[in-house]
Amino acid sequence: MEEMWNAAFKEHQLRNPQCEGILLCDLGNEEKRGFGTRQQLICTKCDYKSKRYTLYEELESGKPGRKASKLDTAIHVGLSQSPIAYSGIQKIFLSGNILAPTTSSLQRRANTVMKQIEQINKQDMKRRRNDIVEINKLRGKKNPHAISVQMDGMYNNPLYSGVGRTPFQPATQTIYTAAENETSKHNILALNIKNKLCSKHSSLDVDNDSGRLHEDCTDDCSANIPMVKSIGDEYTWARECLLDLKEDQLEIEHLVTDADSSAYKAAMDLHNEGINTVEPENFLDTRHLSDHVRKGAKSDKTLLKVMPATTKLKRQKLLNNFSVDLTERCNRELLLAYKFYAGDFCKVKNKISHTVDAIAYCNMGDHARCRKNSFACKGFQGSWLKGRPFLPNSFNISSCNENLDSLRKQINKRLGSKVLEKTRLNMNTNFVEGFNRCLRRSLPSNVTFKKNMSGRAHAAAHSVNNGPGESILELCSALHCDIPVGSSAYKALKNIQKTDILQKKHKQSVNYKVFRGEKRCKLYKLYEKLSEIIQYEKNMLMKADRGIKSSKSKHEDHPYVKNKKQKKISIRK
């Protein structure tokens, strides 16, 4: 910009020394190139016109022809880590009275940048794999190449959302992720990205001659699996992830998945085929297991009948709360047992076998066993339930052998000997599940990116591994559109990185966890005091047309009034 004005002033004075006109930008004839422009200056009195100047920094490509703008590349780096698509960024610029690039221009530049981001992240993951091996060597591990990982997949649409309405599974894109459990950072080490949508051709047929999805498909096409392939084939996706890790001599020692995953079978098959020498061991995700226990107790009809409440609706509500409380009680007992025995699993397993009966009898009002075999209950009425938001302190299930067996059955789903073996390392897939949420930032469910899905997924992985601020700085540096050190943008990105780290530490602190617990307790008590009445009823108007009356309890002007007398008083007020 400075070069343009200085050169134009000098040239104008040399050509027309007597001219007193003012130099202005010729906005009517500017050349728009992506987010940058080429401008020339004109005089308001004479016919002077300067040459056109490029008002953006160009990327050196080493090739002839027009060079791309650093600004365009940097903006696409930011777009890759946001849910905004190309039409969205156009609207943002146009609403600020700034001419935006065309959709085709944005798409072409994005295609190039996303491929580069994908390669950058693959190199970054490869470096992290080598770092894990070095860490294991420093720890003195016998086989530093044997690692513990957690694996899970995500789909662009839920697999169950189109049952009976679509000929194939409704999802057309999937991302299968493997993250290490060796360090507290849980770095993402492998991504397996599958896409049924071809950006150029139909993906309904497979060409028998070339084996491609379409006879005209090339390596530039986005689809890498045919439409007839099951998108929920976790066995294949996990196997490919494990083979990718094997290229860097990494093998799976401990594999953490949810209970319905086929990843462990893929790992065992690789071992049985002689590809991997380390025999993997499968562990269940403790979080999904807790949900399984809660849902099992919630749907237990035997427990529903014995809930201490007068009506079926109240019994069901009480059972819902009891299922949550029972799950938390089991997890709490296990946590305190590990702490008491300093992680000695044999002692924990032996003690927990007696704790199962203590929990069952505790819920039936007998606390004699709690004094000896429970870590969470001190052995008197209301000890565990005191301050708990789910159940009253006086909660008791009638004592009989049938109820005792039902309680044991539910408790053993979490504290049984076989389950304890499968969860003895207390590992979960929380990090991979959290990464799936981060993927939704780059690949929102309401937008389908056919061409650049892979690049955006790798951008999300790079952001999670490096942090939001450092990721932008490193990607821009690798793409030769560096953000100057010490600039305002550089400082802002450093602050974003710092804030992200502080927020993570804050959410892991004891004070924050206590705050969340107290807030949850208050909400449950508020709900118990002012029971919410559901205002929605499915097909309400259809019932009215058929002469069927809707439930009166679901449609009240004063939903928090419990009886007619209170309702009349509230109306008078």
Side-chain angles (χ1 to χ4, degrees):
M1 179 70 77
E2 293 85 357
E3 179 187 354
M4 178 183 70
W5 285 103
N6 291 330
F9 277 132
K10 291 179 181 179
E11 186 180 14
H12 179 249
Q13 287 297 319
L14 289 174
R15 287 188 183 181
N16 302 310
Q18 305 300 323
C19 180
E20 297 180 356
I22 301 173
L23 296 182
L24 299 175
C25 291
D26 188 7
L27 298 178
N29 294 317
E30 69 174 346
E31 290 183 10
K32 189 70 177 176
R33 294 187 177 179
F35 289 98
T37 59
R38 281 171 53 83
Q39 291 278 9
Q40 67 177 2
L41 297 179
I42 58 175
C43 181
T44 57
K45 291 189 176 181
C46 66
D47 59 352
Y48 170 77
K49 288 185 179 181
S50 70
K51 69 175 185 178
R52 293 188 184 275
Y53 289 87
T54 301
L55 301 184
Y56 57 85
E57 294 184 72
E58 295 179 328
L59 284 173
E60 291 298 332
S61 60
K63 299 178 181 179
R66 182 184 296 180
K67 295 178 176 58
S69 165
K70 288 186 178 181
L71 177 61
D72 284 14
T73 303
I75 286 179
H76 280 291
V77 170
L79 283 176
S80 68
Q81 298 185 12
S82 72
I84 302 175
Y86 313 126
S87 59
I89 194 68
Q90 281 181 319
K91 291 177 182 178
I92 291 173
F93 271 73
L94 293 173
S95 62
N97 196 26
I98 302 172
L99 184 61
T102 61
T103 304
S104 59
S105 173
L106 288 169
Q107 184 67 59
R108 283 195 302 270
R109 191 62 198 150
N111 294 343
T112 303
V113 174
M114 293 305 153
K115 288 181 180 179
Q116 294 173 334
I117 289 177
E118 183 175 348
Q119 295 303 318
I120 293 169
N121 185 58
K122 286 182 178 179
Q123 294 173 4
D124 182 71
M125 290 193 298
K126 184 178 181 66
R127 177 182 61 81
R128 293 176 186 276
R129 295 175 188 180
N130 296 331
D131 290 344
I132 293 298
V133 175
E134 293 300 322
I135 290 172
N136 286 339
K137 287 180 180 179
L138 293 174
R139 289 174 174 173
K141 195 172 183 179
K142 290 183 179 180
N143 186 358
H145 296 277
I147 63 172
S148 172
V149 299
Q150 51 179 285
M151 303 181 78
D152 193 28
M154 189 204 73
Y155 306 92
N156 63 334
N157 294 314
L159 294 183
Y160 54 81
S161 63
V163 176
R165 293 182 293 169
T166 58
F168 299 103
Q169 290 173 308
T172 53
Q173 297 173 335
T174 182
I175 301 169
Y176 205 78
T177 310
E180 51 88 10
N181 273 335
E182 298 292 329
T183 66
S184 59
K185 291 184 178 180
H186 299 290
N187 296 292
I188 297 170
L189 301 182
L191 287 179
N192 191 8
I193 302 169
K194 297 299 179 183
N195 187 4
K196 288 185 176 183
L197 303 177
C198 181
S199 57
K200 295 183 179 180
H201 312 100
S202 170
S203 56
L204 293 177
D205 300 320
V206 179
D207 183 40
N208 295 326
D209 297 330
S210 64
R212 294 187 179 276
L213 307 180
H214 190 275
E215 59 182 3
D216 297 326
C217 274
T218 64
D219 292 334
D220 294 331
C221 295
S222 57
N224 52 14
I225 56 173
M227 187 63 71
V228 295
K229 173 68 176 176
S230 173
I231 198 74
D233 185 9
E234 283 197 27
Y235 174 87
T236 303
W237 314 150
R239 183 184 176 92
E240 292 177 1
C241 265
L242 297 175
L243 289 173
D244 184 25
L245 293 174
K246 180 62 178 178
E247 292 180 2
D248 288 315
Q249 307 303 317
L250 291 180
E251 297 186 10
I252 305 305
E253 181 182 22
H254 300 144
L255 178 60
V256 186
T257 63
D258 49 27
D260 57 355
S261 175
S262 302
Y264 174 63
K265 185 179 179 182
M268 280 300 300
D269 286 350
L270 289 176
H271 172 69
N272 295 334
E273 293 168 10
I275 298 175
N276 287 345
T277 57
V278 178
E279 183 176 358
E281 185 177 2
N282 183 229
F283 290 92
L284 294 178
D285 172 25
T286 54
R287 185 172 177 272
H288 283 86
L289 181 61
S290 297
D291 284 341
H292 172 70
V293 175
R294 178 184 59 80
K295 292 176 182 178
K298 183 180 177 181
S299 59
D300 193 322
K301 295 182 179 180
T302 304
L303 289 178
L304 177 62
K305 295 178 181 178
V306 299
M307 286 292 110
T310 55
T311 64
K312 184 178 179 180
L313 182 63
K314 291 181 179 180
R315 285 196 296 270
Q316 184 62 59
K317 180 180 175 182
L318 193 60
L319 179 61
N320 295 345
N321 289 355
F322 173 72
S323 63
V324 179
D325 184 82
L326 182 65
T327 304
E328 292 193 2
R329 173 72 182 272
C330 293
N331 290 332
R332 184 65 178 170
E333 293 281 3
L334 194 58
L335 178 65
L336 293 175
Y338 270 106
K339 186 176 180 180
F340 184 81
Y341 291 111
D344 190 330
F345 177 71
C346 293
K347 293 182 179 179
V348 170
K349 183 179 178 181
N350 181 53
K351 187 66 175 179
I352 288 296
S353 63
H354 302 286
T355 306
V356 172
D357 277 355
I359 297 174
Y361 278 101
C362 181
N363 283 288
M364 293 191 297
D366 184 358
H367 300 275
R369 291 169 177 79
C370 293
R371 299 186 185 95
K372 184 178 180 181
N373 297 321
S374 175
F375 297 93
C377 180
K378 296 179 180 179
F380 54 87
Q381 179 67 28
S383 174
W384 162 253
L385 295 177
K386 185 178 181 180
R388 300 284 298 167
F390 309 109
L391 300 172
N393 292 350
S394 59
F395 175 83
N396 276 326
I397 296 175
S398 58
S399 180
C400 66
N401 291 333
E402 184 180 356
N403 294 345
L404 180 62
D405 292 339
S406 298
L407 288 171
R408 281 174 177 165
K409 178 182 176 182
Q410 298 302 329
I411 297 169
N412 278 322
K413 289 181 180 179
R414 182 63 185 93
L415 300 181
S417 59
K418 292 183 179 180
V419 178
L420 289 178
E421 287 285 349
K422 284 286 187 180
T423 59
R424 69 176 186 273
L425 297 183
N426 198 28
M427 295 188 293
N428 53 53
T429 59
N430 282 354
F431 185 83
V432 178
E433 295 281 354
F435 172 64
N436 290 343
R437 307 288 83 75
C438 184
L439 278 172
R440 285 301 183 199
R441 182 194 63 188
S442 295
L443 295 168
S445 57
N446 64 321
V447 182
T448 301
F449 293 90
K450 290 184 179 181
K451 184 71 175 178
N452 297 320
M453 175 222 179
S454 180
R456 281 179 164 261
H458 280 278
H462 193 274
S463 176
V464 170
N465 280 342
N466 295 276
E470 288 295 333
S471 175
I472 296 293
L473 290 172
E474 290 185 14
L475 288 176
C476 288
S477 177
L479 294 171
H480 309 292
C481 52
D482 306 60
I483 297 173
V485 178
S487 65
S488 299
Y490 181 87
K491 293 178 181 178
L493 287 170
K494 285 292 185 181
N495 286 334
I496 290 174
Q497 182 78 8
K498 182 179 178 180
T499 302
D500 181 69
I501 295 173
L502 291 176
Q503 285 181 344
K504 288 180 180 178
K505 289 183 178 179
H506 171 62
K507 290 182 179 180
Q508 292 173 355
S509 64
V510 176
N511 291 337
Y512 181 76
K513 292 178 181 179
V514 170
F515 166 75
R516 286 187 62 187
E518 291 176 350
K519 180 181 177 181
R520 188 184 188 191
C521 182
K522 290 179 181 178
L523 289 175
Y524 267 93
K525 288 182 178 179
L526 180 64
Y527 177 77
E528 187 68 26
K529 183 179 180 180
L530 304 172
S531 297
E532 181 182 13
I533 297 176
I534 300 173
Q535 297 294 318
Y536 171 78
E537 184 178 355
K538 192 173 183 179
N539 294 330
M540 179 176 61
L541 296 179
M542 299 295 291
K543 290 182 179 180
D545 292 340
R546 296 197 301 267
I548 303 174
K549 293 183 179 180
S550 299
S551 175
K552 292 183 179 180
S553 61
K554 294 186 178 182
H555 305 283
E556 295 285 348
D557 294 331
H558 303 276
Y560 292 109
V561 176
K562 295 184 177 180
N563 54 54
K564 294 182 179 180
K565 186 175 181 180
Q566 289 178 340
K567 182 176 178 180
K568 290 179 180 179
I569 294 173
S570 63
I571 292 173
R572 291 172 186 171
K573 291 181 179 179

